[in-house]
Amino acid sequence: MRGEVGFPVRIRFSELGKVRFISHRDAARAFDRAFRIEALPIALTEGFSPRPQVSFGLALSVGHESVAEYMDVRFARDLDLDALPGRVSAALPEGIDVTGAVHLVDRAPALQESVTAVEWEIEVVTVEGAPVDGSALTDRIAAVLSATELPVTRTRKGREDTVDIRPGIRHLSVLRPGEVGTVLHAEVATQPGVRPAELVAVLGDAYRDLRVLRTAQWIERGEARCEPLDADALRAVEARAS
Amino acid sequence: MTALWPRIEPLLAGVEKPARYIGMERGALRPVHRPDGVSWLLVYPDTYEVGLPNQGLQILYEILNERPDAAAERGYAPWTDLEALMRDRAVPFFSVDTHRPAAEFDVIAFGLAAELVYTNVLNCLDLGGIPVRGEARRDEDPIVIAGGHATFNPEPMADFIDAFVIGDGEEAVGDITEIVRDWKRGGRVGGREAVLHELALLPGVYVPSMYEVEYEGMAIRAVRPRYPDVPDAVDKRTIADLADWPYPKNQLVPLIEVVHDRLNVEIFRGCTRGCRFCQAGMITRPVRERPLEQARTMVAEGLKRTGYDEVALTSLSSADFSGITELVGGIVDGQEGCGNVGVSLPSLRVDAFTVGIASEIQRVRRTGLTFAPEGGSWRLRQVINKLITEEDLYAAVDGAFSQGWRRMKLYFLIGLPTEMDEDTLGIADMARNVVEIGKRYTKGASCTASVGGFVPKAHTPFQWFGQNSAAELQRKVGLLRDATRRSAVKLSWHDPAASMAEGIASRGDRRIGRVIERVWRAGGVFQEWSEHFALDRWTEAMAAEGLDPEWFTTRHRTEDEILPWDHIRAGLHRDFLWQDWQAALAEHGLPDCRWTPCYDCGVCTDYALEHVVASPVAPAGGSQGTGQDLSVGGAVPVRLLSSKEAAGAR
């Protein structure tokens, strides 16, 4: 985070249950209010129109759940990070919980640029919502992984683009039977990014996702692969909570 | 009790803004339904974003849930995308708190703030599996209630609503709970007719099925109660002192962005400025101010509890609150302990005092300021009793531009009584002059003139006035477009066609119920949303019912005509309203009675009520631009809060 004043902190949080239907922006607003309810002062940027120094990591789509969301906040004063998860969670909507917080080194690279891979659990059902057999999916996964190219069409601001998602797929396998369908485990890169719905789409027209859960985000630097709380922590071990 | 969530959840992946339907707001209560208690579903029949902030609904939600014999949940009209999926999968209308089907509640109560939501009421009932017409409901169907400003003419909705609450709902919901509770516990003896008959005896409650309307051609000959003990007319309910009702105590904080997304603290109810077009000001008299200390406490605790960084001090004219300087000063100086808090005053007067207050609260970002002169000439403003001189406006605007504001927005009505083209064109002149003043201070000065077509409302001096036709309103919009072309004035206007539908629903009688039903059956929901509104549906429905739209909209009424809402009383004497209508036509203004002697409109005298204000001194800036030096006193016909009351009320 930029700026010299204040105490940069990286926070990990989960977003589970009904609250998954709010947008990324709504979640940001909920944190903003929670910090104010708990009287945790955020440092402001300097300049003509000061703004709170908060930056969120990768966006979570409306309807997707996660146990691995991250944000960076610069607090105006030093805080007891052991107590922080409990305090902030109590002021957040039900289903959003802070599960860890660490002091960051000053000028740590931003989450958006640092995170290079994410993992998902995706429960797949038929388009009609009926159960899907795991072995049928195993065959489809094999076909997807052996493809040299997987073009998908994205619409952005009314313009259609074709993107090859194959280079972004690092891992795809059947994990376990789900409540209705079959749960897949996927790891994808963030550059080029791959969306869970695109993974399901390349498996075939007959399928759709029922539940999507982000289970991890990774920061990779050379050989090292870290959870974002560990990547740029000031005193990583000390401040880990719950 | 059936929780519908497992059936709703799969539908949400395919709809816009699915978080509209999940509830879970901070401040949401956990209602406990007991078999021998009364369960209420409080519905705002528009989208969640429009309905959630509604303070009336939030107040009743808390009051009912505090009662051991009641439980209340909330519902909002599902947007058309979800409605289609719900009808396809047979998922009924539901509450957002516990996702309970509407039909399982004992009472469904709709908040009717405006008339164009009427068709949504029918849609919510139908989607809930409840017969839309009251006469078709069985004993086990919910009792359907409505309240809110629009119900001061309940007749257009008489076919669909079992009982209307006229006026303040705080006390009435308790009375209704007790009657429905005892009827339920006693095995529903006498059926629906019995419980509705009992409700009809409550003060402020109007049960349309207890009254028969006789017509003589198009006119109404008489409205008569069907039982001797049912009153001939229903007087509105009024809470005497706002200090007794410090609600909402836990304002709901929605998860998604809504309109008025901030803490809202009601600082007073009622208004005596006497603007003749304003139904809200007429029907909510007298003025009841909240004690300053209580308002302070509600602001401080509300900010702490919600985490909002903005508070609106709400009322019909917030700068008139007698403690406004102290209240605003305390908040912006961080005395309320929250720091960096924005304050908004939704209804600003047009004077220098207001600009002073505004500069207090907008110390940093001074971008836009809004004033509402309403009429384009001094003559017309005397007619409507909005006594703002052009000097007042220009002084206020000059002050604002000199202190750093750059954009002014002016609200006007077109289609007002006695309006001539020179009055209409006065709007363009005023807006142009405002830009000229602004140019002295900043090159970027701009002014937006926002014009709306005037729709006369029940219980106002203009209730007899024949509104302008859509074509006439359109012509006036055209005049203004020509007059503001090639100028720095931006013009925005409301659809004149919607004003016609609003007119039909506002001053209609019971026969309009069939029209509303036809519009709804033809797919006319969300009529306040331009993408869903089509006047053709209304004109076709009127034609199918053999009703002439002009009778209900553009026709001037006579003094002796029985108006459809004459058996509903807002406390204003009919004589007073007629005299005020005549005074309007004679271009005579009427001062604010809070600070000048009583002219006996009827409300205080008939209801043994008094204005309740926190200070004997009129707020700086005076009232209604009458030029009176109000700060030096004179007889003030008000009850003052004793210092003990002011300090002790929480």
Side-chain angles (χ1 to χ4, degrees):
Chain A
M1 300 201 78
R2 278 181 284 275
E4 290 76 36
V5 200
F7 300 84
V9 170
R10 180 161 292 165
I11 285 172
R12 183 182 61 210
F13 64 98
S14 56
E15 204 179 303
L16 297 168
K18 284 182 195 174
V19 80
R20 73 182 185 276
F21 289 112
I22 71 172
S23 69
H24 189 60
R25 198 176 133 75
D26 295 329
R29 291 169 57 248
F31 269 97
D32 182 50
R33 290 191 301 263
F35 291 139
R36 209 170 295 110
I37 289 167
E38 285 301 311
L40 301 169
I42 310 294
L44 301 176
T45 57
E46 288 176 5
F48 185 66
S49 55
R51 291 181 2 185
Q53 298 202 51
V54 178
S55 69
F56 278 78
L58 301 175
L60 185 67
S61 298
V62 173
H64 291 178
E65 293 174 286
S66 177
V67 292
E69 294 306 294
Y70 298 89
M71 65 187 290
D72 290 347
V73 183
R74 186 177 281 269
F75 288 107
R77 57 167 202 266
D78 201 8
L79 300 168
D80 172 9
L81 292 195
D82 289 337
L84 185 92
R87 287 178 67 186
V88 179
S89 298
L92 284 167
E94 192 184 323
I96 305 184
D97 288 290
V98 173
T99 58
V102 295
H103 285 291
L104 276 188
V105 295
D106 218 9
R107 299 176 184 282
L111 278 164
Q112 294 256 11
E113 287 110 58
S114 311
V115 171
T116 45
V118 296
E119 290 184 64
W120 296 100
E121 287 184 15
I122 306 166
E123 183 168 353
V124 176
V125 292
T126 68
V127 169
E128 294 80 24
V132 168
D133 183 34
S135 58
L137 281 175
T138 309
D139 292 345
R140 289 299 311 147
I141 289 170
V144 160
L145 293 178
S146 62
T148 51
E149 240 189 1
L150 290 168
V152 299
T153 308
R154 284 181 190 168
T155 314
R156 204 170 266 171
K157 290 175 185 164
R159 230 189 42 221
E160 289 200 344
D161 274 337
T162 303
V163 185
D164 179 15
I165 64 164
R166 181 61 192 91
I169 304 175
R170 296 185 173 187
H171 176 89
L172 188 60
S173 65
V174 170
L175 186 65
R176 60 167 188 268
E179 270 180 55
V180 184
T182 294
V183 180
L184 306 184
H185 173 226
E187 183 178 324
V188 297
T190 56
Q191 292 296 336
V194 181
R195 298 168 190 170
E198 291 169 344
L199 280 175
V200 177
V202 296
L203 291 173
D205 295 343
Y207 308 117
R208 68 173 169 89
D209 60 81
L210 182 68
R211 290 296 272 257
V212 179
L213 172 72
R214 178 138 63 193
T215 54
Q217 298 191 29
W218 297 105
I219 293 175
E220 296 155 310
R221 289 183 188 137
E223 293 298 298
R225 176 176 163 102
C226 315
E227 213 258 297
L229 283 195
D230 294 333
D232 296 295
L234 194 60
R235 294 179 296 271
V237 185
E238 173 214 89
R240 290 291 285 273
S242 62
Chain B
M1 176 175 124
T2 347
L4 289 171
W5 178 249
R7 293 175 59 204
I8 296 163
E9 192 176 23
L11 308 182
L12 297 188
V15 304
E16 196 185 307
K17 300 187 190 172
R20 285 167 166 169
Y21 310 107
I22 63 175
M24 305 193 2
E25 304 86 352
R26 188 173 183 84
L29 303 168
R30 297 184 190 278
V32 182
H33 298 280
R34 296 180 189 83
D36 62 347
V38 177
S39 58
W40 288 67
L41 177 60
L42 306 172
V43 183
Y44 194 93
D46 205 327
T47 62
Y48 178 84
E49 297 94 299
V50 175
L52 180 114
N54 183 266
Q55 295 294 291
L57 194 144
Q58 291 199 26
I59 290 167
L60 300 183
Y61 176 66
E62 289 188 5
I63 289 174
L64 285 165
N65 279 314
E66 281 175 6
R67 289 182 67 98
D69 58 355
E73 302 200 26
R74 296 164 293 121
Y76 308 92
W79 192 243
T80 48
D81 56 354
L82 182 63
E83 188 204 327
L85 293 172
M86 288 166 70
R87 290 196 184 272
D88 185 54
R89 315 285 158 87
V91 174
F93 181 51
F94 56 85
S95 67
V96 298
D97 293 277
T98 70
H99 298 94
R100 199 174 196 253
E104 290 185 17
F105 287 85
D106 298 311
V107 178
I108 302 186
F110 290 92
L112 304 179
E115 296 79 7
L116 287 179
V117 300
Y118 286 171
T119 56
N120 276 13
V121 171
L122 279 62
N123 203 40
C124 289
L125 290 171
D126 183 64
L127 196 51
I130 298 150
V132 296
R133 302 186 74 81
E135 71 213 6
R137 289 181 200 135
R138 301 147 300 175
D139 289 356
E140 60 274 22
D141 285 322
I143 309 282
V144 179
I145 288 179
H149 289 181
T151 62
F152 276 77
N153 176 17
E155 292 301 84
M157 289 295 280
D159 290 350
F160 319 110
I161 303 295
D162 295 318
F164 293 89
V165 175
I166 312 297
D168 296 334
E170 280 90 342
E171 294 167 335
V173 291
D175 298 346
I176 293 169
T177 296
E178 282 162 26
I179 285 177
V180 175
R181 178 196 68 197
D182 294 347
W183 177 67
K184 251 181 90 178
R185 285 180 186 171
R188 295 185 160 93
V189 175
R192 256 185 126 74
E193 177 81 359
V195 72
L196 293 181
H197 188 171
E198 267 200 80
L199 290 174
L201 307 180
L202 284 175
V205 176
Y206 171 61
V207 178
S209 62
M210 297 290 130
Y211 295 80
E212 268 161 10
V213 182
E214 255 182 70
Y215 300 96
E216 187 173 355
M218 282 305 290
I220 294 168
R221 186 200 306 243
V223 179
R224 289 197 189 87
R226 287 175 41 228
Y227 296 94
D229 56 349
V230 171
D232 293 335
V234 175
D235 279 290
K236 72 165 178 176
R237 205 68 183 258
T238 308
I239 56 167
D241 196 342
L242 214 52
D244 297 335
W245 303 94
Y247 293 90
K249 294 172 178 170
N250 287 290
Q251 188 187 303
L252 296 167
V253 185
L255 277 66
I256 62 172
E257 278 184 86
V258 299
V259 303
H260 313 311
D261 203 356
R262 59 200 176 199
L263 180 69
N264 293 291
V265 173
E266 186 184 26
I267 53 175
F268 67 88
R269 200 175 291 181
C271 183
T272 45
R273 299 202 138 231
C275 304
R276 292 176 176 130
F277 55 86
C278 178
Q279 188 189 35
M282 291 289 163
I283 63 176
T284 59
R285 294 174 175 205
V287 168
R288 289 147 289 157
E289 287 194 349
R290 194 179 289 290
L292 178 61
E293 271 317 304
Q294 187 183 51
R296 276 194 175 133
T297 308
M298 287 176 76
V299 170
E301 291 185 356
L303 289 171
K304 234 178 272 171
R305 200 179 301 111
T306 58
Y308 275 125
D309 60 356
E310 185 186 351
V311 56
L313 304 174
T314 67
S315 74
L316 292 171
S317 180
S318 293
D320 287 341
F321 181 61
S322 58
I324 193 69
T325 315
E326 296 90 327
L327 183 59
V328 167
I331 299 166
V332 295
D333 293 342
Q335 285 172 18
E336 316 301 342
C338 291
N340 295 324
V341 172
V343 183
S344 65
L345 300 174
S347 308
L348 279 185
R349 302 194 311 240
V350 184
D351 58 36
F353 173 69
T354 302
V355 174
I357 289 254
S359 55
E360 267 296 287
I361 64 188
Q362 294 189 331
R363 282 180 188 168
V364 191
R365 273 185 307 162
R366 291 181 179 170
T367 48
L369 208 54
T370 302
F371 293 117
E374 308 289 1
S377 71
W378 171 244
R379 188 196 67 79
L380 192 59
R381 288 192 296 276
Q382 284 177 301
V383 170
I384 65 176
N385 205 40
K386 183 99 187 186
L387 302 174
I388 297 157
T389 62
E390 263 156 66
E391 291 69 41
D392 288 338
L393 175 73
Y394 298 147
V397 163
D398 191 283
F401 278 121
S402 74
Q403 290 177 61
W405 274 279
R406 302 158 65 84
R407 288 200 306 268
M408 297 295 136
K409 189 167 185 180
L410 304 179
Y411 280 118
F412 292 98
L413 288 167
I414 52 171
L416 289 163
T418 78
E419 184 183 27
M420 313 285 277
D421 285 356
E422 62 194 60
D423 302 309
T424 313
L425 289 167
I427 293 172
D429 294 338
M430 281 173 89
R432 264 197 309 267
N433 290 340
V434 165
V435 175
E436 285 311 308
I437 293 168
K439 288 265 161 74
R440 290 182 215 148
Y441 299 97
T442 168
K443 272 185 199 158
S446 74
C447 178
T448 300
S450 171
V451 295
F454 173 58
V455 178
K457 294 288 161 84
H459 305 281
T460 67
F462 292 169
Q463 64 181 352
W464 289 279
F465 172 64
Q467 74 183 76
N468 282 188
S469 67
E472 176 65 356
L473 290 175
Q474 196 65 58
R475 188 187 69 80
K476 289 177 178 173
V477 168
L479 284 178
L480 286 172
R481 289 181 69 183
D482 289 343
T484 54
R485 209 161 274 159
R486 287 187 297 277
S487 80
V489 174
K490 292 178 199 119
L491 184 72
S492 69
W493 63 92
H494 296 288
D495 180 11
S499 302
M500 293 317 286
E502 190 185 330
I504 292 167
S506 295
R507 289 193 296 168
D509 56 38
R510 284 191 185 192
R511 292 169 292 194
I512 294 301
R514 295 274 180 193
V515 174
I516 291 166
E517 188 172 343
R518 278 181 186 275
V519 171
W520 164 64
R521 289 198 188 278
V525 294
F526 288 104
Q527 295 296 280
E528 290 201 306
W529 297 70
S530 55
E531 68 259 49
H532 284 293
F533 179 79
L535 184 58
D536 288 353
R537 282 204 200 90
W538 290 83
T539 46
E540 281 161 21
M542 291 293 281
E545 291 298 326
L547 298 172
D548 177 8
E550 286 177 16
W551 171 270
F552 295 95
T553 55
T554 54
R555 181 180 61 93
H556 295 297
R557 277 68 159 171
T558 54
E559 187 181 8
D560 58 348
E561 178 172 340
I562 295 177
L563 301 171
W565 53 89
D566 273 348
H567 57 298
I568 303 299
R569 290 192 184 143
L572 303 150
H573 288 164
R574 205 177 193 274
D575 289 350
F576 161 75
L577 289 176
W578 181 261
Q579 278 165 23
D580 206 35
W581 171 223
Q582 297 309 306
L585 296 175
E587 302 165 15
H588 286 311
L590 191 65
D592 184 339
C593 66
R594 216 169 328 178
W595 312 109
T596 57
C598 174
Y599 47 71
D600 197 14
C601 69
V603 178
C604 294
T605 43
D606 280 19
Y607 295 157
L609 292 165
E610 289 167 308
H611 298 305
V612 180
V613 295
S615 160
V617 182
S623 179
Q624 275 292 39
T626 47
Q628 300 152 316
D629 184 3
L630 296 162
S631 57
V632 294
V636 178
V638 293
R639 176 165 79 85
L640 294 176
L641 292 166
S642 71
S643 57
K644 198 177 103 212
E645 276 177 308
R650 290 181 64 83

